Every structure is written in C-alpha cells, then in structure tokens.
Amino acid sequence: MALESSVNRIGVLTSGGDAPGMNAAIRGVVRTAQCCGIDCVGIRHGYAGLIRGEFIPLNEKVVKGITARGGTMLYSARSQEFMLDEGKKRAAEVCRFSGIEGLVIIGGDGTFKGGSGLAAHGVNVVGIPCTIDNDIGCTSYAIGFDTASNTAAEAVDRLNDTMQSHERCSVVEVMGRGAGHLALKVGIATGATIVMVPEIEYDFDRDVIGRIRTARLAGRTNFTVIVAEAMGPVREIAGKINEATGIETRVTELGHIQRGGSPHVRDRVAATIMGYKAVELLAKGQGGRVIAMQGEEFVDYDITEALSMTKDFDYATYKMFTAFTFLDKSTLCI
Ligand code: F6P
C-alpha cells in the first residue's frame, strides 16, 4: 500500500517514565516516515527538549537495531516549563519555525495531557501509549506492560526459591503509580499468597494476616505478598506481618529494574504497529489523536476523549485469584 503524504516533516519524542518498547515505536515512526518521503526529526528529552530545540535527524541508519533495546534513545524528561501554557505556546512556535508539521508523542497520560495542550496551539500530535503501569484509560494495552510484568515475575520467582528454603514471607513492592494492574499480573503469574492493590479495600487483620494464617494451616511454609507501590510503605506492611504471624519476613522493592531490559515480542510488535499507525494519521494531515488497542485491534481516539476515559481494574480476575489461592468459592463471582 503506497502512503501518500500531505506533510514534509514530522517530529517524534518520548516523555515521562520510559518503558521497554519505546525504541521500537521510534523505529516504527522513522521507517514509516521514510516510506512516505517524510523527513523525521528526533526530539531529545521530551517536551523540555522541544522547547530548547534539541533536534537530531532520524533515518533508517540511526534507528538500526534499536527494536531490541530497552530505554529510549531520545531520552525522556518531565518538564516544569512545559506544564505552563506559556511553555506549550513556546513549544508550538518551535514546531512552526522548524517546519515540524506533525508530532508523535510516546508516553503515558501525562504525555498526552501535554500533547492536548500543544494541539490547542495548532500542532498536529498523535500519541502512542507507553507505560509499564498499563493505566491509560483509552487503551486495553500500553507498550511496556508485558515486558515489565515478565521482569517482575522473574524476580519474584527467584525470591520464591530463597523464601521456600528459609520458610519465610516475602513482601515485594512493584511499580504501577496509582494502579494495581502490574501487581495483579505479577501476583497471578508467580502464585503469590496475597496481592495488595489500591483498587481493593483491605481489612488488614482479616485479608492479610488471616489469609497468611489460613495458608499456613493448609500446609504452606513460605508466603509471597505482592504490594502495588500505591499501597504505602511496604516496610510497615512487612513489619506488621512479621509481628502478627511470627514468620520471618523480608522486603524487596523491585523499583526501576522493572522499567529496563529488552522488550518482549508483544511490546516490540505493538510498538512497531503503533509507530506505523501514528505516521499514517499524520501523513493524512490528521492530528489530535491517540493510537490505542482494544483487545487485539488497533484503533485511534480524539486526544481529549482519550484523556477523559478511565481504566477499570480487572476485579473479576482479582476475585478469581483470591478464590483459587484460598480454595474459597465464596469470593468467586460465578
Ligand atoms: O509511570 C511509570 C513509573 O515507573 C511508575 O510506575 C512509578 O510510580 C514512576 O514511574 C516512577 O517515576 P520515576 O522514574 O520518576 O521515579
């Protein structure tokens, strides 16, 4: 299919917390732009770099081999100046001076909020959802989530080995910003005893201590509690478990290790397709959009509509996890 383009030059930037797959998205953008005869400019350090005009030329040579690399070759940043309307106005002016007729913005909700401000100043932007938190309302899947889930699960598997040897309890904090999507995925994948997420209310004695006791009575000798970072100080949680159960408890904060590493196939492929789709829209002169996934399908939304959408927590899967972990049919929703 030949892509006809009504634009001559586009830019691409990554913003906010990085995620595995950002580089694959950049490559998808660059190669598609080249297909269409569009000049592609990389903007370093996100919106801060846009304001400062930190541009680098991008072509197939520059992006060669980056699909398999974690992080972002364009660097990422959070810009205070860009938060203000004056900053957005300045960034829009920079786009105009530099002949940038369309901008691909790769990141999470914060990135899209910035993008919608830029769109209000007349810049054609298209967003690509990328965050290990998978907390973007308009898309069932955000790039980076699968790789981060696997990285965290692998780390918990290792912890489980040593917890089993010493008959201990492992309290593991995973990332997720204000959401528990990552924690739930990791908990299910590793056969955790308990998953604590901000979307669920807990009675600590009943739902944490009580369940550990139940598991112990059922013959379990080591325990894993996966805690989403939004649940508060993980050391406090571990301290309470140690005190109430007498089980030696250890804390691990997985931290930024979850954001690094070579992206898994799912992230590489979704990122590449989204990069293509973003340029396809810009080439047609369309902007103010966000590429998203609904199941396995790629769709796009108006950026304002996308920002108003909220993401539901998967309560059904959470209930299923609790039911079969404790062999308790009463918590099942079927
Ligand atoms: O949004 C991605 C994320 O990794 C969150 O899970 C986490 O809360 C935050 O970014 C950490 O941000 P920083 O890298 O600035 O410490």
Side-chain angles (χ1 to χ4, degrees):
M1 176 187 51
L3 278 177
E4 294 297 327
S5 173
S6 62
V7 300
N8 295 313
R9 173 178 272 191
I10 62 169
V12 54
L13 61 79
T14 50
S15 165
D18 65 350
M22 278 184 161
N23 279 326
I26 294 168
R27 179 175 171 275
V29 167
V30 173
R31 292 197 71 97
T32 310
Q34 284 213 298
C35 265
C36 308
I38 303 173
D39 183 29
C40 191
V41 171
I43 297 145
R44 283 182 159 170
H45 300 113
Y47 293 122
L50 178 59
I51 293 173
R52 294 194 292 259
E54 281 186 51
F55 298 159
I56 55 162
L58 292 177
N59 55 43
E60 82 280 8
K61 289 199 188 79
V62 182
V63 298
K64 189 170 183 307
I66 65 168
T67 298
R69 280 191 5 225
T72 161
M73 64 163 285
L74 290 176
Y75 303 91
S76 193
R78 294 180 171 113
S79 165
Q80 291 303 322
E81 192 183 351
F82 187 77
M83 301 270 183
L84 308 170
D85 192 55
E86 201 45 44
K88 294 189 184 75
K89 211 169 135 198
R90 172 87 194 111
E93 275 161 12
V94 173
C95 287
R96 272 190 288 279
F97 298 152
S98 334
I100 292 175
E101 297 166 86
L103 188 64
V104 181
I105 52 172
I106 303 171
D109 264 340
T111 304
F112 299 162
K113 269 185 204 125
S116 101
L118 261 186
H121 286 288
V123 181
N124 265 357
V125 297
V126 178
I128 294 182
C130 234
T131 166
I132 66 159
D133 305 331
N134 204 23
D135 60 349
I136 302 177
C138 70
T139 190
S140 55
Y141 187 76
I143 295 162
F145 183 60
D146 187 55
T147 307
S149 307
N150 276 278
T151 304
E154 201 184 311
V156 174
D157 286 345
R158 287 167 198 256
L159 287 167
N160 283 345
D161 290 345
T162 169
M163 294 302 141
Q164 179 270 320
S165 308
H166 290 268
E167 299 179 289
R168 284 172 172 163
C169 174
S170 175
V171 177
V172 186
E173 184 192 273
V174 302
M175 279 188 169
R177 206 167 42 156
H181 310 295
L182 187 59
L184 177 59
K185 254 284 168 14
V186 174
I188 293 173
T190 57
T193 325
I194 293 163
V195 171
M196 297 183 73
V197 293
E199 293 86 349
I200 304 279
E201 267 187 42
Y202 297 85
D203 174 325
F204 199 82
D205 286 338
R206 185 192 64 202
D207 301 329
V208 180
I209 304 300
R211 282 176 182 167
I212 290 174
R213 286 197 180 120
T214 305
R216 186 156 57 174
L217 286 173
R220 207 156 165 159
T221 54
N222 64 288
F223 312 85
T224 306
V225 183
I226 304 290
V227 183
E229 64 174 320
M231 294 306 291
V234 76
R235 280 176 199 281
E236 251 175 49
I237 293 173
K240 283 196 216 161
I241 292 172
N242 203 145
E243 203 183 300
T245 63
I247 301 164
E248 234 189 312
T249 302
R250 294 286 187 267
V251 172
T252 307
E253 292 171 47
L254 293 182
H256 289 81
I257 199 159
Q258 296 159 99
R259 292 231 300 252
S262 177
H264 282 211
V265 169
R266 179 163 197 200
D267 289 320
R268 296 183 196 191
V269 174
T272 304
I273 294 173
M274 288 193 189
Y276 171 87
K277 299 242 166 229
V279 177
E280 195 179 37
L281 289 176
L282 290 176
K284 287 191 257 175
Q286 292 180 25
R289 312 289 298 170
V290 173
I291 310 290
M293 284 187 82
Q294 289 311 333
E296 289 309 302
E297 230 183 287
F298 292 88
V299 294
D300 58 272
Y301 293 101
D302 171 79
I303 195 163
T304 313
E305 187 193 348
L307 282 167
S308 70
M309 293 162 92
T310 50
K311 180 124 188 178
D312 288 337
F313 182 68
D314 189 352
Y315 290 100
T317 301
Y318 179 85
K319 279 186 183 172
M320 174 207 78
F321 162 79
T322 309
F324 70 56
T325 303
F326 296 97
L327 306 178
D328 178 3
K329 193 167 179 270
S330 68
T331 63
L332 273 178
C333 53
I334 46 173

